[in-house]
């Protein structure tokens, strides 16, 4: 497990399966059994029809939909990593998820960059997905 000094997510009854799956290296989004809507982040109800969503395991692949480069950050755990990239990644399955793009020079990050989830184990029941460009990006 990594030495994580940033704030930890606080899993609740709705989001705990998401964090636990990420701990196992699996990326989940929610899919509605009534209307087919897919959503991220985890919610108790479908945002389209208010049915109870189910979990859908994703490929862990997507493209950068948009991003920003963080160049100043005073908070412990983050300040040693500037500059870093925070992106919205549009998954192959549709939903957009937020995370850091890693393993690439920030000047090479661009909209449309193909990325794949890579998971950091930060606690026994919590993993955090980050996004690494696919080879030959
Ligand atoms: Zn629905």
């Amino acid at each position: 497990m990594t030495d994580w000094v940033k704030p930890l997510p606080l899993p609740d009854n709705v989001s705990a399966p998401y964090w636990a799956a990420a701990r196992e290296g699996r990326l989940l989004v929610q899919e509605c059994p009534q209307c087919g809507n897919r959503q991220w982040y985890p919610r108790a109800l479908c945002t389209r029809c208010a049915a109870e969503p189910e979990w859908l395991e994703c490929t862990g692949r997507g493209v950068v939909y948009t991003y920003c480069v963080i160049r100043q950050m005073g908070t412990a755990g983050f300040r040693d990593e500037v500059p870093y990239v925070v992106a919205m990644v549009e998954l192959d399955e549709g939903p957009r998820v937020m995370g850091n793009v890693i393993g690439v020079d920030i000047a090479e990050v661009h909209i449309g960059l193909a990325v794949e989830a890579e998971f950091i184990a930060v606690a026994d029941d919590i993993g955090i997905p980050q996004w690494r460009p696919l080879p030959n990006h």
Side-chain angles (χ1 to χ4, degrees):
M1 208 173 321
T2 189
D3 187 21
W4 188 259
V5 296
K6 300 171 186 170
L8 282 172
L10 299 173
D12 59 20
N13 289 341
V14 173
S15 68
Y18 170 81
W19 299 114
R23 177 66 176 81
E24 300 168 355
R26 300 181 299 117
L27 184 69
L28 301 181
V29 297
Q30 291 177 312
E31 184 175 57
C32 178
Q34 296 298 316
C35 76
N37 179 48
R38 293 175 178 173
Q39 60 190 25
W40 185 90
Y41 53 90
R43 297 171 175 95
L45 302 175
C46 172
T47 57
R48 185 185 294 163
C49 77
E52 187 173 337
E54 298 176 345
W55 294 105
L56 173 71
E57 186 164 335
C58 297
T59 61
R61 291 190 174 187
V63 297
V64 172
Y65 177 78
T66 190
Y67 70 98
C68 67
V69 178
I70 309 298
R71 298 182 187 278
Q72 297 182 350
M73 175 57 77
T75 306
F78 296 93
R79 64 177 162 242
D80 297 334
E81 296 184 6
V82 293
Y84 60 89
V85 175
V86 176
M88 288 298 290
V89 172
E90 188 167 84
L91 300 176
D92 288 354
E93 292 81 4
R96 295 175 188 148
V97 305
M98 186 175 285
N100 295 119
V101 177
I102 60 169
V104 63
D105 189 301
I106 59 171
E108 294 183 41
V109 176
H110 58 88
I111 292 169
L113 178 67
V115 291
E116 184 169 47
E118 181 175 298
F119 299 89
I120 300 176
V122 298
D124 289 343
D125 57 350
I126 302 173
I128 295 182
Q130 295 189 311
W131 300 93
R132 183 180 294 273
L134 291 173
N136 306 315
H137 57 273

